[in-house]
Amino acid sequence: MTSDANLKQPAATSSRPDTAWQDDVRAGVRQVRDLAALPLSPAERAAAQEAAAAHKVRVPKPYLDLIDWTDPNDPIRAQVIPSPEELIAIEGELDDPIGDHAFSPVPRLTHRHADRVLLFPTYQCAVYCRFCFRKESLTSIGRGYTREALEPALAYIAGHEGIREVILTGGDPLSLPDKALAEIRSRIEAIPHVRLLRIHTRVPVALPSRITAGLVAALQGRLMVTVVTHFNHAREITDEAEEACRTMRQAGFALLNQSVLLNGVNDHVEVLEELCRELMYRLGVKPYYLHHGDLARGMAHRRTTIAEGQALVAELRQRLSGICSPTYVIDLPDGGGKVPLAASHIEGCEDGTWRIRGQDGKVRAYREVVG
Ligand SMILES: *Cc1c(COP(=O)(O)O)cnc(C)c1O
Ligand code: SF4
């Protein structure tokens, strides 16, 4: 085979069939009862079962296989296996940490910024993350996709000409069948003022076999497609995840990643550095946001302080190129939106001369010259 022919190979290079993801789901943890099969101590199992009653448990096999069970502080385990700390309620934590509900004019839609909306086709996920900031919605609503349920949201988008981006989130949109995704995509692209379809998903991380030729075809059409993945640790970047991302890149999708800063998972500069580099260099996924831990209930043990986050990202920025560097943000309660948290480099300004701290830490004077 010539190298030319190699280039024309279809995106999917795996020998597994396009239905392999169904086996990966079946062989994973799908409900509380499946926790019994995991190598947990009786005490850990009892605690996990109790915590799983408050926030659903689901872990596809490929993600489960990444856990090192000999390490009680394993960063993969910490993200998906319920722990007793989740049951500790702390004053100040919130059911709706980022104020989605206050900006929801119709069911299944949040409109906080003029040009973009969040659309929730499903409140179900392929994996349930313990730190999820929408876990109350996922637990209390539990609804899947139906065509009818999205009608008011689609009518709302059609009626607001300023909306350019539709962000499918949830729940995990890529937990839906290809047919549902194609239907949603075609309904959205029929609205002429919408330009871009964005998909926020943890499927490329937790169930990469789901990223099939059929899935990407379902999303291709008139709209620019951006997929925002959710990798939190370099150990999640596997050969399978690489293949899933290659499939999406070759389909013409732009790939970005958002991570959550989590105590005991990725709150070390070396861990974040490796994550960001591998995302960009191996997966072709641009690190977009690093989220400060939201005030989701039962997650105090996973949050860092803002000062710790600021110190981490300052060090990270020293080590990484601009394209590998995410923006550290907080999603403010009551719908204040996402705002940058990194410490400012501006020390002050007097008579048109700014004092700005350089990347080397030294403060320099910058005199503005404006014609
Ligand atoms: C995060 C979010 C967006 C997307 O914001 P970007 O900064 O463009 O990524 C849009 N709407 C809502 C309500 C959000 O929470
Ligand atoms: S996949 Fe996303 S929405 Fe679902 S539990 Fe994880 S963080 Fe929450």
Side-chain angles (χ1 to χ4, degrees):
M1 189 184 289
T2 68
S3 55
D4 238 24
N6 254 333
L7 284 175
K8 286 177 196 138
Q9 287 273 304
T13 51
S14 160
S15 52
R16 300 182 75 197
D18 270 8
T19 52
W21 64 271
Q22 294 168 4
D23 297 329
D24 289 341
V25 169
R26 261 193 298 273
V29 170
R30 287 186 294 171
Q31 48 199 329
V32 178
R33 138 154 67 88
D34 299 335
L35 292 169
L38 303 181
L40 298 171
S41 71
E44 285 171 337
R45 187 169 307 133
Q49 283 167 343
E50 199 184 336
H55 175 37
K56 285 190 269 194
V57 65
R58 185 175 290 167
V59 194
K61 188 72 163 65
Y63 201 75
L64 206 55
D65 286 345
L66 296 179
I67 297 176
D68 172 3
W69 292 101
T70 63
D71 177 6
N73 300 315
D74 179 74
I76 308 295
R77 172 180 177 163
Q79 295 184 58
V80 292
I81 303 299
S83 75
E85 291 96 332
E86 289 175 36
L87 297 166
I88 303 170
I90 295 191
E91 176 78 28
E93 294 185 325
L94 305 168
D95 280 344
D96 180 17
I98 67 168
D100 274 340
H101 299 326
F103 290 80
S104 179
V106 291
R108 297 198 179 221
L109 180 136
T110 295
H111 193 191
R112 196 153 55 199
H113 308 284
D115 67 343
R116 53 209 193 275
V117 292
L118 305 183
L119 181 65
F120 303 85
T122 177
Y123 290 93
Q124 290 162 8
C125 302
V127 60
Y128 288 105
C129 316
R130 305 325 295 172
F131 52 83
C132 180
F133 63 104
R134 289 218 181 91
K135 64 180 176 184
E136 308 296 328
S137 306
L138 308 183
T139 305
S140 59
I141 301 174
R143 288 175 308 193
Y145 168 73
T146 65
R147 204 175 298 164
E148 298 69 39
L150 282 194
E151 289 303 334
L154 290 167
Y156 181 91
I157 297 167
H160 289 75
E161 289 195 3
I163 297 171
R164 311 273 156 69
E165 293 187 29
V166 174
I167 303 168
L168 303 185
T169 182
D172 197 318
L174 298 190
S175 67
L176 294 172
D178 296 352
K179 191 163 158 282
L181 288 169
E183 199 167 86
I184 295 164
R185 189 259 307 151
S186 82
R187 289 296 306 274
I188 295 169
E189 75 184 2
I191 303 171
H193 50 266
V194 177
R195 311 281 302 277
L196 187 143
L197 180 66
R198 227 209 268 188
I199 295 156
H200 288 192
T201 177
R202 215 156 135 73
V203 162
V205 181
L207 187 61
S209 50
R210 178 66 191 95
I211 308 297
T212 59
L215 180 136
V216 296
L219 297 170
Q220 283 172 314
R222 173 181 73 81
L223 299 166
M224 184 61 73
V225 177
T226 297
V227 175
V228 183
T229 60
H230 185 170
F231 290 87
N232 287 325
H233 196 283
R235 285 231 331 259
E236 297 171 335
I237 300 177
T238 59
D239 289 349
E240 292 71 27
E242 185 182 336
E243 189 182 318
C245 290
R246 190 184 312 117
T247 301
M248 293 190 288
R249 279 190 293 112
Q250 290 182 343
F253 304 169
L255 303 184
L256 303 169
N257 184 73
Q258 38 190 356
S259 302
V260 183
L261 181 58
L262 294 167
N263 179 31
V265 173
N266 56 16
D267 61 331
H268 290 283
V269 71
E270 289 75 18
V271 172
L272 290 172
E273 181 185 1
E274 188 187 6
L275 169 66
C276 293
R277 282 197 208 284
E278 293 308 299
L279 280 167
M280 194 66 232
Y281 299 155
R282 184 168 172 201
L283 302 186
V285 175
K286 156 94 185 95
Y288 179 41
Y289 285 142
L290 173 66
H291 290 265
H292 185 69
D294 297 293
L295 292 171
R297 288 201 191 283
M299 276 300 116
H301 62 293
R302 290 282 165 233
R303 278 192 290 273
T304 64
T305 64
I306 290 175
E308 286 164 342
Q310 287 180 320
L312 277 170
V313 296
E315 178 63 28
L316 202 60
R317 189 62 184 91
Q318 299 264 334
R319 299 184 184 203
L320 295 174
S321 68
I323 56 167
C324 290
S325 299
T327 305
Y328 179 40
V329 292
I330 189 167
D331 218 321
L332 289 170
D334 298 324
K338 283 181 255 307
V339 292
L341 278 183
S344 174
H345 281 247
I346 297 174
E347 300 282 332
C349 178
E350 241 170 79
D351 301 330
T353 298
W354 294 82
R355 290 190 308 114
I356 304 176
R357 196 162 27 84
Q359 286 198 347
D360 56 5
K362 287 191 202 130
V363 177
R364 290 169 174 77
Y366 177 87
R367 176 137 193 92
E368 282 187 302
V369 180
V370 179

